[in-house]
Amino acid sequence: MNVLVTAPYNEAGLLQLKELFGAYTYRSWKENGKAYNEAELISLLKESKAEGLIAELDKVTENVFAEVPELKFVGVCRGMPSNVDVKAATKRGIPVFFTPARNAQAVAELFIGNLITFFRHTIPSIEWLKQEKWDGDYLQAYLKFKGNEIAGKTIGMVGFGAVGQRIAAVLEGFQCTVQYYDPYVESQNPNHTRVSLETVFSTSDVVSIHLPRTEETIGMINEHYLGLMKEDAILVNTSRAVVVEREALVHALKEHKIRGAILDVFYHEPPEQSDYEIIKLPNVLATPHLAGASYEVEDHHVCIMNQALTKWYTQRNLQVPTLYNRKALEAMS
């Protein structure tokens, strides 16, 4: 079996694929400068006579499956296979593999870094220093930029999959109280408390959103829930912007109903003016969708994908019993 790999893959991972399947064709989307479109992907699959595909960004549509009936599996190096027509794959008995925990460590580290940056006023203090505004004694900056510690804070998670749990593990070093809302996950860690969504918003010092984009989650965090937050609480969103109702968030920030927000995702990417209205607010710390942007993430997805494919291929399990439905995807995200 030849496997077409368009996802970024390290040499060790490609060697493992060769040992497992016998051959591979490597055409990373990075070499193309962008994801392959439908026609390009079909052409590559036919040219390489591939029976397996490992992609990251390319759209694997119904037409791809129809034009390349030889496909026996699709691997997606992402937290969810949102770029694959899973229904079309299921209809043909083609398993779809993905890598739900690949960026958990990267997101957890950025979460901690940005939270400290926000609490300690790091960015405004740096700008103040560069602008040569330190014209008083040594206590001037000390008093102007005094902030808060993470230690001892109550952190509430909305969604407690791989990313949320990894953040919780890192927070143990800060002696934080971790509580979460997730109807599909029940933590075995006695230090993590499962609570209602209302409790997360009304009692947390930091509310962190970790929800996939689905019909059920779009606009799920609305005015009601944001209105429950404490005035000195912070909202963090590293998942998908659309799960938070935009107007409710703008109102909460502009009217100082909450202390502020740390955002890594936006309603339009690249941002439009409506996004910049939020980004430029003084109580917002915004980064351009960087939470999963570490070099190590690619090594993680190679490891996770190859382990899953090795198990599947060695068992010769070419059937797809109840391929991942929406609730299963949410539980694994």
Side-chain angles (χ1 to χ4, degrees), residues 172-188:
E172 290 181 9
F174 293 89
Q175 298 178 323
C176 292
T177 297
V178 174
Q179 56 186 15
Y180 70 94
Y181 168 78
D182 194 318
Y184 308 111
V185 175
E186 186 164 359
S187 175
Q188 301 304 308

Side-chain angles (χ1 to χ4, degrees), residues 80-99:
M80 291 182 68
S82 53
N83 52 317
V84 176
D85 188 332
V86 177
K87 288 184 179 179
T90 304
K91 182 173 66 176
R92 294 170 170 81
I94 299 172
V96 177
F97 302 91
F98 58 108
T99 56

Side-chain angles (χ1 to χ4, degrees), residues 94-114:
I94 299 172
V96 177
F97 302 91
F98 58 108
T99 56
R102 70 169 186 156
N103 65 357
Q105 183 65 30
V107 177
E109 291 186 12
L110 192 73
F111 173 92
I112 296 297
N114 281 352

Side-chain angles (χ1 to χ4, degrees), residues 267-286:
Y267 299 91
H268 309 90
E269 296 184 3
E272 296 182 357
Q273 282 306 120
S274 59
D275 301 291
Y276 283 118
E277 179 185 3
I278 300 173
I279 292 168
K280 293 180 180 181
L281 289 173
N283 55 347
V284 170
L285 191 163

Side-chain angles (χ1 to χ4, degrees), residues 214-231:
T214 68
E215 292 178 5
E216 292 81 4
T217 62
I218 292 175
M220 174 178 163
I221 310 306
N222 55 27
E223 184 178 6
H224 168 69
Y225 293 112
L226 294 178
L228 295 175
M229 294 178 69
K230 298 187 292 185
E231 285 188 7

Side-chain angles (χ1 to χ4, degrees), residues 190-206:
N191 296 320
H192 305 158
T193 306
R194 189 179 187 183
V195 298
S196 68
L197 191 55
E198 287 79 6
T199 299
V200 166
F201 277 91
S202 63
T203 64
S204 299
D205 299 305
V206 178

